[in-house]
Amino acid sequence: MSPRRPGFHHALVGLACSLVAALALAEAPCRIAFDMGSSGIRAGHAASSVTPRVGIDYLAPLWAGDGLEPVVAATINALRNLPEEGRFPESCARVGGGFSAWRLALQQDPGRLTAILASIEAASGVAILVMPPLQEGAYGYYGARQLLGDRLKTSHILDIGGGSLQIAGERTAYGEQLGQKVWHQQLCREIRQADAACTLQPLSEDELAAARALLAKNLAGVRAALPERVTLTAISRTVSRGIRPVIERLEPAERADGMLQGSAISAAIARVEGQTGAETRALVDGTGANATYLLSGLLLVEGVLAATDGEALQVAEVDLTNLPGLLADDHAFAWQLHYGCYLARLQTLGIDAYASDPATCR
């Protein structure tokens, strides 16, 4: 019997509906989940509103070629200590969702990552699964529906993290390793022939055109993944705490309805592309925006709107995590009972190991 489940991608994008139904029909089981992205870990329990968290930079050692070994000890400590901080029950099943940085580690060296995951599970009791981008998008949409309810008026959400980008709706989703930090690193490498810490500005007109062309190439798969009409609500702080306050400073009229117009984003790019880093820091002072990532972030959102034929996007201020979706995911917690089998499949199936069927393990 094949370990792959048929209709995997359909199952992923339908997760929001199935999770809602599951939670409505059954009492929440005793579970602890860990949302493990590029910048740290957040822990959640099915019956608690507390979300203890810790910051860990997972991308820096990966980009330096050191793998995840430098952050293993900090990871184990977090997985042990965060449930205690949240006063979660000790006997619950424990699963970690490894997202953008963990996918990058898998791409770099599957065997190396598998050994690290085995050591972390042995030391902490937490089974970390490397989650496909579409699964992460489904978690994001599910969480946004929970938090926003009727305020979510658009067909899809846009979630830009440090390592990955997701556009997710009820039935279709798109995911790519193109988060804020990853995209900035690409621009540094392609335009400045430098590492992730480069200063992009000022950009010449030719360099700006090259950046837009590179982004269009990166997002070429959006239309195939999202064939229907797409409208977007941006739910990440990259937009709500970074881009929006700067545009509102430049264009006060943008505060009127909570929408960000594509024309205003392009105008902001034209305003800052020729600035020095110091000039941009002065512009964003007091807004909460990170000057280093402002121009690359503006280009990223502009590119997403172009890829989805959108003219504007709604912005929502929410503290969104992948925890509600992960806690409700029976399939993920089934792997906790067959973790050795999962790790073996991770080496052979790669990212598709999650989608395979734990029941076929021997």
Side-chain angles (χ1 to χ4, degrees):
M1 179 181 295
S2 170
R4 296 174 185 267
R5 290 190 302 167
F8 168 45
H9 293 296
H10 296 291
L12 287 180
V13 298
L15 177 65
C17 295
S18 62
L19 291 180
V20 170
L23 290 179
L25 290 174
E27 182 179 345
C30 184
R31 291 174 174 175
I32 296 172
F34 300 87
D35 181 352
M36 307 174 70
S38 61
S39 302
I41 303 175
R42 292 174 286 196
H45 179 262
S48 174
S49 61
V50 177
T51 309
R53 64 191 69 195
V54 64
I56 301 174
D57 186 350
Y58 286 105
L59 287 176
L62 289 171
W63 285 340
D66 297 328
L68 290 176
E69 281 88 353
V71 291
V72 167
T75 299
I76 291 171
N77 287 337
L79 296 176
R80 289 172 173 171
N81 295 336
L82 290 178
E84 293 182 4
E85 291 180 21
R87 298 186 178 180
F88 301 156
E90 294 184 3
S91 58
C92 294
R94 302 181 180 214
V95 166
F99 298 102
S100 55
W102 301 86
R103 291 193 291 263
L104 178 58
L106 180 63
Q107 292 172 8
Q108 290 183 351
D109 193 329
R112 189 179 189 183
L113 176 63
T114 301
I116 287 174
L117 294 178
S119 69
I120 292 175
E121 194 272 340
S124 69
V126 178
I128 301 173
L129 309 176
V130 183
M131 293 295 183
L134 293 184
Q135 187 75 7
E136 184 177 2
Y139 289 161
Y141 181 78
Y142 172 69
R145 290 292 302 175
Q146 271 200 333
L147 290 172
L148 295 174
D150 293 339
R151 290 181 293 152
L152 182 58
K153 305 292 186 183
T154 60
S155 66
H156 289 67
I157 56 100
L158 169 64
D159 187 9
I160 302 173
S164 61
L165 174 151
Q166 283 82 37
I167 304 171
E170 186 174 354
R171 295 180 179 84
T172 58
Y174 170 86
E176 186 64 46
Q177 289 286 96
L178 198 66
Q180 182 187 55
K181 294 178 181 178
V182 170
W183 167 234
H184 186 85
Q185 186 204 37
Q186 281 194 29
L187 287 176
C188 287
R189 186 173 59 246
E190 297 295 328
I191 292 177
R192 294 284 177 258
Q193 289 76 51
D195 62 20
C198 84
T199 299
L200 285 173
Q201 295 164 260
L203 283 182
S204 69
E205 289 299 319
D206 286 345
E207 289 170 335
L208 183 63
R212 284 172 166 151
L214 176 62
L215 184 56
K217 181 179 179 181
N218 284 336
L219 296 172
V222 169
R223 284 185 173 84
L226 309 173
E228 72 275 42
R229 168 70 176 165
V230 171
T231 56
L232 294 172
T233 295
I235 58 171
S236 58
R237 294 189 177 191
T238 297
V239 179
S240 64
R241 300 281 183 92
I243 291 173
R244 181 170 70 173
V246 173
I247 289 182
E248 287 177 347
R249 174 174 286 187
L250 295 173
E251 298 285 344
E254 288 293 312
R255 302 183 185 190
D257 57 5
M259 297 289 290
L260 273 184
Q261 300 296 324
S263 57
I265 293 170
S266 298
I269 293 171
R271 171 71 178 274
V272 303
E273 63 175 285
Q275 290 186 336
T276 64
E279 289 170 332
T280 301
R281 286 192 292 275
L283 172 66
V284 306
D285 184 47
T287 66
N290 187 323
T292 300
Y293 296 111
L294 177 61
L295 179 55
S296 55
L298 287 165
L299 286 167
L300 186 56
V301 175
E302 180 192 58
V304 168
L305 284 175
T308 56
D309 297 320
E311 297 180 355
L313 74 161
Q314 186 75 39
V315 180
E317 181 71 38
V318 294
D319 185 16
L320 184 72
T321 76
N322 292 310
L323 291 171
L326 184 54
L327 284 166
D329 189 348
D330 293 337
H331 186 72
F333 278 86
W335 275 124
Q336 189 258 344
L337 301 175
H338 301 277
Y339 195 54
C341 176
Y342 170 79
L343 292 179
R345 290 184 181 177
L346 189 64
Q347 291 202 65
T348 57
L349 299 179
I351 197 70
D352 287 343
Y354 165 82
S356 65
D357 189 353
T360 61
C361 291
R362 295 291 184 265

